[in-house]
Amino acid sequence: ELFGNDHPIHIEVGMGKGQFIIEMARRNPEVNYIGIERYSSVLLRALERFDNDEEYKDVNNIRFICMDATNLPEVFAVGEIDKIYLNFSDPWPKARHAKRRLTSKQFFERYDKILAFDGVVEFKTDNRELFDFSLEQVEVAGWQLDNYTFDLHHSEYAEGNVMTEYEEKFSAMGNPICRMVIKPPKKK
Ligand code: SAM
């Protein structure tokens, strides 16, 4: 309704300064994008990039929401979202904070509610511990692993990859980038 069309909706949870999702919107006008970030000061940087860069002046398939991802099921309707991007999510290294990780089984439940039939989550990180934890959570939650790689930039999935701010920084330091594409359990 807001976009005035029925194109699929892709969201990025924790978009930071928005480099990835704004560029995705420019490249894919047939998809509606929503960037989600919980800190208004950070979201403002994304808005400034979007408003001030000539390159994006004709891009009108993107919106932004300042919110905590915990509230996703209250903001989006059941099955409304076709793809969720999680890029370089905060690791929350202490075990007692595991529930806060955006790839915990608690967050998978939230994503399951808003994802369309055949909807997917794509997760990129250079943090191998977080990636391994996420692979475990996929299994614990009964989700399906479509594909994964421990070195995206040297994999068959490298072509067309749009880099995030953190991805540029960490790959420049020589860190391999891990990526997984996952789906909720099959619904009957
Ligand atoms: N995705 C960007 C990138 O790859 O360059 C930013 C990565 S940064 C490490 C993680 C971002 O996610 C931060 O801006 C943080 O405020 C945001 N974030 C973390 N937890 C969140 C949550 N529960 N809801 C919304 N945003 C969150």
Side-chain angles (χ1 to χ4, degrees), residues 12-17 36-39 42 67-70 87-90 92 100 102 107 164-167:
E12 182 185 7
V13 177
M15 68 162 175
K17 297 177 202 152
I36 290 169
E37 170 54 51
R38 71 170 155 193
Y39 292 124
V42 180
M67 64 175 273
D68 194 298
T70 314
N87 292 320
F88 296 79
S89 307
D90 294 336
W92 293 106
R100 299 184 190 176
L102 293 181
F107 270 97
T164 78
E165 272 107 347
Y166 274 65
E167 186 170 0

Side-chain angles (χ1 to χ4, degrees), residues 42-184:
V42 180
L43 191 140
L44 186 63
R45 301 288 296 277
L47 290 182
E48 283 169 352
R49 177 197 295 273
F50 182 61
D51 282 345
N52 298 333
D53 198 326
E54 256 312 275
E55 218 186 343
Y56 301 122
K57 71 174 177 16
D58 296 324
V59 176
N60 50 26
N61 55 328
I62 186 164
R63 301 290 187 278
F64 303 95
I65 307 181
C66 191
M67 64 175 273
D68 194 298
T70 314
N71 301 321
L72 284 169
E74 282 81 63
V75 171
F76 294 104
V78 172
E80 193 173 19
I81 303 301
D82 290 274
K83 199 182 245 193
I84 299 175
Y85 291 103
L86 306 172
N87 292 320
F88 296 79
S89 307
D90 294 336
W92 293 106
K94 290 187 181 145
R96 69 170 190 279
H97 291 150
K99 278 193 292 201
R100 299 184 190 176
R101 298 176 193 149
L102 293 181
T103 51
S104 63
K105 64 180 174 28
Q106 289 83 359
F107 270 97
F108 286 167
E109 270 179 36
R110 298 179 178 113
Y111 305 149
D112 194 0
K113 288 184 182 144
I114 63 170
L115 274 175
F117 185 78
D118 273 351
V120 296
V121 174
E122 271 193 37
F123 170 51
K124 290 197 277 193
T125 184
D126 69 318
N127 184 321
R128 186 58 196 268
E129 279 178 15
L130 179 63
F131 195 73
D132 289 345
F133 165 84
S134 310
L135 285 171
E136 274 168 34
Q137 294 292 287
V138 168
E139 206 170 325
V140 170
W143 277 46
Q144 308 168 69
L145 191 55
D146 249 19
N147 63 69
Y148 69 99
T149 170
F150 295 119
D151 191 358
L152 174 63
H153 296 179
H154 299 102
S155 76
E156 60 185 299
Y157 310 111
E159 205 187 316
N161 177 53
V162 172
M163 295 235 257
T164 78
E165 272 107 347
Y166 274 65
E167 186 170 0
E168 279 183 353
K169 186 167 121 190
F170 291 120
S171 59
M173 288 162 61
N175 297 4
I177 306 302
C178 304
R179 192 192 76 164
M180 65 172 74
V181 180
I182 57 176
K183 292 197 279 212

